[in-house]
Amino acid sequence: MGVKGKLIASIEVRCGGHSIHDMFHTNTHHIPNINPTKYKHFEIHEGEIIKVGSTVSWKYNQDGKEKFIKQVIEVVDSQNKSITWKVIEGNVLELYNSLIVITSSEHQWTTLTFVYEKKTEDTPEPLTDFGFFLDAIKDMEDHLIKI
């Protein structure tokens, strides 16, 4: 069994946390249009746009490398503006046995949580992936402020 960990960051978003939640919940398919050099493709494999049980995948460019991630939506809490995504395939699972991504938003804040299990004790924390996801939230914020 690997070492378990958790990363949490809350960032202030000028567009309002509800706007970020709406982007993740109902407009996820538009994220590749926000920054097409970073976010290459979004696809829904099963279910509807971000509903519990939906399976989605992303192709993205991180550090000059094209990467892939496939997730199943485990929880959507519209009242608390929270979504829980469980990674089921992709590059990140080369280093980690599991990764759960939780986004939650309120007022002018969005909180990102990674809950993960490393394959070995020597595996680094997923800081690069965490930073990439935080940058995605900032890209959404910038886009939403412009429109």
Side-chain angles (χ1 to χ4, degrees):
M1 191 152 170
V3 177
K4 294 182 180 185
K6 183 186 275 191
L7 297 171
I8 302 171
S10 291
I11 55 176
E12 186 175 19
V13 287
R14 298 167 292 169
C15 60
H18 66 284
S19 296
I20 298 295
H21 176 74
D22 289 346
M23 182 63 77
F24 279 128
H25 187 235
T26 58
N27 293 308
T28 317
H29 56 287
H30 290 298
I31 293 174
N33 299 330
I34 292 171
N35 189 335
T37 59
K38 272 189 189 174
Y39 319 110
K40 300 295 186 184
H41 184 73
F42 171 78
E43 184 175 346
I44 300 169
H45 297 277
E46 292 180 32
E48 300 175 34
I49 294 179
I50 312 307
K51 303 280 186 202
V52 172
S54 295
T55 303
V56 300
S57 68
W58 302 83
K59 287 183 183 173
Y60 58 99
N61 186 343
Q62 181 182 10
D63 298 330
K65 298 175 187 169
E66 187 166 299
K67 296 194 174 187
F68 169 80
I69 193 168
K70 191 172 194 179
Q71 303 165 305
V72 63
I73 310 307
E74 291 194 319
V75 178
V76 176
D77 183 342
S78 295
Q79 183 175 355
N80 292 316
K81 301 200 181 325
S82 175
I83 302 173
T84 302
W85 322 63
K86 179 181 179 183
V87 177
I88 57 172
E89 288 180 34
N91 301 89
V92 72
L93 293 182
E94 293 169 4
L95 295 173
Y96 304 94
N97 290 326
S98 63
L99 175 63
I100 294 174
V101 178
I102 304 164
T103 59
S104 59
S105 300
E106 62 179 349
H107 307 292
Q108 296 301 113
W109 294 90
T110 292
T111 300
L112 173 65
T113 304
F114 271 24
V115 179
Y116 57 92
E117 181 180 331
K118 300 179 186 184
K119 288 196 177 198
T120 70
E121 285 187 30
D122 298 331
T123 301
E125 308 302 320
L127 295 175
T128 302
D129 297 293
F130 194 69
F132 184 86
F133 208 108
L134 288 171
D135 287 344
I137 293 168
K138 287 293 189 184
D139 288 344
M140 285 183 250
E141 173 193 35
D142 292 342
H143 171 77
L144 290 166
I145 287 172
K146 288 178 189 173
I147 57 173

